[in-house]
Structure formats: structure tokens, C-alpha cells
Amino acid sequence: MPARRLVAVSAVSAVSVLGVLPAATAQARTGHTTGKASAAVLRTDLSVSLLNKTVTAPLVTSLNEVQAPRTASKTALSATVAGVNGDRPFSVLRADVATARAATDKSRSEGYSNLVNAKVNVPGLLSVPLITVEQVTSKAVCAAGKKPTADSNVLGTVSVLGKKVTLTAGGSTKVDVPSLGQVSLDLSRTATTSRTAAATALALKVSVNPLKLNVSEVEGQVTLAHATCEAPGAPAKPEKPQVGNQTKPEPKPEHLAETGGSSATPYLVAGGAALLAAGGGAVLLGRRRRAAGTRGDA
């Protein structure tokens, strides 16, 4: 019985040795990044100089500017600022329709702006609009895994400083009105990359000095109907499970030269040696006890 117990304990020890082999592991990764979008119907970055530049005030404003990753939408028909027209509010823009939208989800992001029958004014030119447009729109769409698109449209007539102008795509149009100033316009500017897009219907570079009296001089940038987007990251393809330290079947003796050993071979050899030693010890102990019993009977 003690010999049998010793053999059983040895077998359990061998199993315990095998049990410390590193367990196989498997991992898979999936995920995505959120896209971005923005839109605005009007942006101004102007410097207003009064009284021969003795007083300078910035005219920086935006109308219906929205940003996403969340869905956002704004509709307003006018933008008014204070501080550049004495103590009275000054209306920079009025329009029949002024809409901006920005939206994103896991597969797509989009920016959109629309302006209809709009007039933009600057200080010193209260009776003559800087620019009037019938309709301008911009749209930027970025879908995961697809080429982004950017489109801008200027529909109907455009007048600058009271003068009707013909715009040229892909270049700048300069409008010089004596006694009022000069305006340079870029029509339908678009840009795309592998994941982003941007569209601007009209970009104006303004230099206005009515009658060159240096009473109210205005310089800077005006942007109409602007939209941008950035595509969401496409969900990563699930990776195949990465199994490490996997135990290979024990090779047959006749094919040992072909297959070689695995990373578990030292553990298997140690377990087998322990089991063999325990078995041999049990047999030797049994023989001694039988021999002692025989001498006692004699």
C-alpha cells in the first residue's frame, strides 16, 4: 500500500509539473475613431481703423458656426456686433436664409452651409454693401473608407461695392471701385486629402477706404459658406487569435529527427523522469520488505 501511494503521489506531481506550462492566450482588437465636421455661413476677420488709424477695433465674428462630433444645426438671419459703429450696433450680415449643419456618426461626417439673398456690410459703407449674393452653398462629405468630397456653388448674381461682377473659377477676381476700395474674391475653393475635405463658396480679401478720407478704413478677410469634415476611422478588421506557447503533440520516436522538440519538451522530460524515479523507488522498497519478511519467517 505505501508503494502504491508513493506511485500515486509521483503521478500527481508529474501532472502538477505539466500544469505550470504557460496557458495559451488569444486577443482580438476592434475599434473606430470619431469623425469631425464644421460649417459656417459667415466668418469675418477684419480690422477697422477710425480717424486716420488713431482708433483701431477688430471686427471678428461668425454666423451660424457649428462643429461636430455631435449633430449640430443653426439657422439665423443676421449677425450684429457692437463697438465699431459708435454706440450703435452694426449689422454685418442680413439674409433670407442662413443655415449651417454639421453631423457625424461611426461611418460618415458632413458639413453643410447655405446662404440665400445675403448682404454683407462693413463700417463706413452703410449705404453700399460690401457684397451681395443670391445664393452660395458649400458641402463637405467624408465617409469611412471612401475618398472625401468637397463642393461649393455660387448661384445667381454677385455684386461687390455696388458693382456686378463675373467670377472666374480657379482664380481670383479683383474689383476696384474708385473712391471706395478694392476687393479680391476667390470663387469655390475646395481641398481634399485621404480623410479630410474643405469647401468655401466665396473668400474675400478686403481693403476699403471710402473716399480715402481715412475716416473708416477696413482691411481683412471675409468668408461666405464654409464647410469641413474629417472621416471617421474605419473599424479595425478583427485580428486572428494570436495563440502563444502552444504545446505540440509529443513526436513519435521514429520521426523525432524530422519534427524535433517543442517548448514544452523540458517540462515533459522532467515529469517523466520524476515519475520513473518514483516508480523505481517504490519497486525497490517493495523488494526490501519482501526480503525482510522472508528472513523473519526463516
Side-chain angles (χ1 to χ4, degrees), residues 85-286:
N85 191 36
D87 295 331
R88 300 182 302 276
F90 176 76
S91 178
V92 180
L93 179 140
R94 292 185 182 276
D96 291 344
V97 177
T99 304
R101 294 196 305 268
T104 63
D105 57 31
K106 293 182 179 180
S107 61
R108 175 187 174 98
S109 61
E110 178 181 326
Y112 172 78
S113 58
N114 181 36
L115 198 57
V116 178
N117 292 332
K119 293 182 180 181
V120 178
N121 295 287
V122 295
L125 291 176
L126 299 181
S127 61
V128 180
L130 173 67
I131 185 171
T132 62
V133 297
E134 288 191 29
Q135 184 175 11
V136 290
T137 62
S138 287
K139 186 176 183 180
V141 179
C142 299
K146 296 182 180 180
K147 182 177 177 59
T149 61
D151 297 294
S152 289
N153 292 292
V154 178
L155 307 174
T157 61
V158 176
S159 296
V160 176
L161 299 176
K163 181 179 180 180
K164 186 177 180 180
V165 298
T166 300
L167 302 176
T168 302
S172 296
T173 300
K174 292 184 178 181
V175 180
D176 193 350
V177 178
S179 75
L180 291 181
Q182 185 181 81
V183 178
S184 177
L185 298 90
D186 288 330
L187 170 67
S188 300
R189 294 193 307 188
T190 61
T192 59
T193 67
S194 60
R195 292 191 62 226
T196 65
T200 300
L202 284 173
L204 289 71
K205 185 176 182 181
V206 180
S207 179
V208 174
N209 186 2
L211 300 178
K212 296 186 178 181
L213 298 177
N214 294 320
V215 175
S216 180
E217 184 176 355
V218 181
E219 294 185 350
Q221 305 283 337
V222 175
T223 301
L224 295 178
H226 181 68
T228 69
C229 65
E230 180 179 335
K237 294 182 179 180
E239 298 180 2
K240 294 182 178 180
Q242 300 175 354
V243 180
N245 299 324
Q246 187 176 18
T247 302
K248 295 181 180 180
E250 186 177 357
K252 295 181 180 180
E254 60 271 22
H255 298 297
L256 183 60
E258 298 178 5
T259 60
S262 72
S263 59
T265 300
Y267 298 100
L268 296 175
V269 171
L275 184 58
L276 181 60
V283 172
L284 181 59
L285 181 60

Side-chain angles (χ1 to χ4, degrees), residues 51-82:
L51 303 175
N52 201 22
K53 295 187 177 182
T54 58
V55 178
T56 302
L59 179 55
V60 179
T61 188
S62 63
L63 178 64
N64 294 359
E65 184 164 6
V66 294
Q67 296 182 350
R70 64 184 186 280
T71 299
S73 179
K74 286 186 179 180
T75 301
L77 302 180
S78 64
T80 303
V81 297

